[in-house]
Amino acid sequence: MTSAWTDREFPNTICLFDVDGTLTPARGVITESMKTTLEELRKKCVVGFVGGSDFVKQQEQLGENAVDMFDFCFSENGLTAYRQGKRLAEDSFLQFLGEDRYAKLVNFCLRYIADLELPKKRGTFIEFRQGMVNISPIGRACSRDERNEYEVFDLKHNIRKDFVEALKREFSDYGLKYSIGGQISFDVFPIGWDKTYCLRHLESEGFNTIHFFGDKTFEGGNDFEIYEHPEVTGHAVKNPLETEAILKSLFSL
């Protein structure tokens, strides 16, 4: 254990949280109730979040002061990371794949999306991030109502699931993994760069208990790998209210 956490009741314990659907509603903002719960939790143990989005989007949901609210902030699964407000080293999806392979991946996705018959299509079908690309058949520029409508359509017609299977066949030699998360998109990243990537930042901290809370813990969901990790105690939740309830029970908040 490092001396940084000796002010906590359980300094060898850390709680990590997915963002969407766990700390906040999908693409929604954190509630005052959740903020209060996390503030009380930080008296008990170390607290961090890990999500696939970039840090700017996470700030939109968690607040501009996210680095002050959490001990660890892991954006893009930990490719961008903060410890006590200080930025740590990072890696790059583009460096891993290379420009030629990346272009082939993007071209295939755009052609595939062009041939999809969907009730609606909007904009930003492929979003480039530091550690991954995020692909959305409807486009990330859709409204909240359109997002909800698409989620129902997607679950019925397996749009994202079939898209992922097509990518697996086409790019089987690229060393990539695919993870469906949220309502409208899925992530593409190098094998091993799922949410377990963030754990490498914790190796020198001496934690003997790592809790993780997430709502996409099913196989293929973007919380699955860290939820199932042998060094992690996983908690599957349906929404932020359930997250709060489990925390209050576990830590007597």
Side-chain angles (χ1 to χ4, degrees):
M1 180 190 71
T2 64
S3 60
W5 319 117
T6 53
D7 62 325
R8 313 301 163 92
E9 184 176 344
F10 306 108
N12 294 327
T13 297
I14 183 172
C15 285
L16 293 174
F17 300 90
D18 166 56
V19 179
D20 262 10
T22 302
L23 290 179
T24 76
R27 293 306 302 153
V29 298
I30 192 169
T31 63
E32 290 301 319
S33 176
M34 181 63 81
K35 287 181 181 179
T36 299
T37 298
L38 292 174
E39 186 177 350
E40 292 301 310
L41 182 64
R42 287 185 78 188
K43 299 175 183 177
K44 300 279 188 174
C45 67
V46 182
V47 178
F49 67 81
V50 51
S53 296
D54 61 40
F55 189 61
V56 172
K57 287 187 175 65
Q58 290 168 338
Q59 284 181 305
E60 291 172 359
Q61 294 181 262
L62 299 173
E64 291 293 325
N65 63 332
V67 292
D68 300 318
M69 292 169 54
F70 296 86
D71 302 299
F72 288 93
C73 304
F74 296 125
S75 304
E76 302 190 50
N77 294 345
L79 269 294
T80 299
Y82 294 85
R83 180 190 187 276
Q84 293 185 311
K86 295 181 180 179
R87 191 159 178 166
L88 305 177
E90 60 186 45
D91 212 332
S92 165
F93 176 75
L94 189 58
Q95 287 178 338
F96 171 86
L97 205 57
E99 289 285 3
D100 290 343
R101 282 189 160 195
Y102 176 69
K104 290 177 182 177
L105 177 69
V106 169
N107 290 342
F108 179 90
C109 291
L110 291 174
R111 285 193 294 267
Y112 189 98
I113 292 170
D115 290 335
L116 284 174
E117 296 293 336
L118 302 178
K120 294 181 178 70
K121 288 184 181 178
R122 294 301 180 251
T124 315
F125 300 103
I126 300 176
E127 183 175 82
F128 178 78
R129 299 176 181 174
Q130 180 73 14
M132 67 180 73
V133 288
N134 178 267
I135 299 171
S136 174
I138 185 177
R140 297 190 63 86
C142 61
S143 67
R144 181 168 296 279
D145 287 342
E146 290 166 344
R147 172 185 289 266
N148 295 336
E149 178 188 357
Y150 174 79
E151 182 181 25
V152 174
F153 184 86
D154 185 275
L155 290 172
K156 181 178 180 180
H157 297 283
N158 293 319
I159 302 299
R160 288 181 292 174
K161 184 179 178 181
D162 291 344
F163 199 161
V164 164
E165 291 304 314
L167 286 166
K168 286 180 179 179
R169 291 191 298 270
E170 185 71 19
F171 301 101
S172 60
D173 61 336
Y174 272 30
L176 297 175
K177 193 169 180 65
Y178 307 86
S179 184
I180 296 172
Q183 296 176 289
I184 62 168
S185 64
F186 61 91
D187 297 329
V188 184
F189 48 86
I191 292 172
W193 288 22
D194 50 56
K195 287 184 178 174
T196 62
Y197 186 97
C198 76
L199 299 178
R200 65 188 68 188
H201 294 297
L202 305 178
E203 290 174 353
S204 63
E205 298 290 342
F207 296 122
N208 55 31
T209 303
I210 301 174
H211 291 282
F212 172 76
F213 297 78
D215 69 320
K216 296 292 189 299
T217 57
F218 52 85
E219 189 167 4
N222 62 3
D223 296 322
F224 177 76
E225 289 81 8
I226 192 169
Y227 175 78
E228 290 287 325
H229 194 280
E231 297 177 9
V232 172
T233 301
H235 304 272
V237 300
K238 297 182 180 68
N239 52 55
L241 289 176
E242 188 170 6
T243 302
E244 285 193 78
I246 295 173
L247 289 173
K248 290 175 181 177
S249 176
L250 272 178
F251 293 96
S252 301
L253 300 179

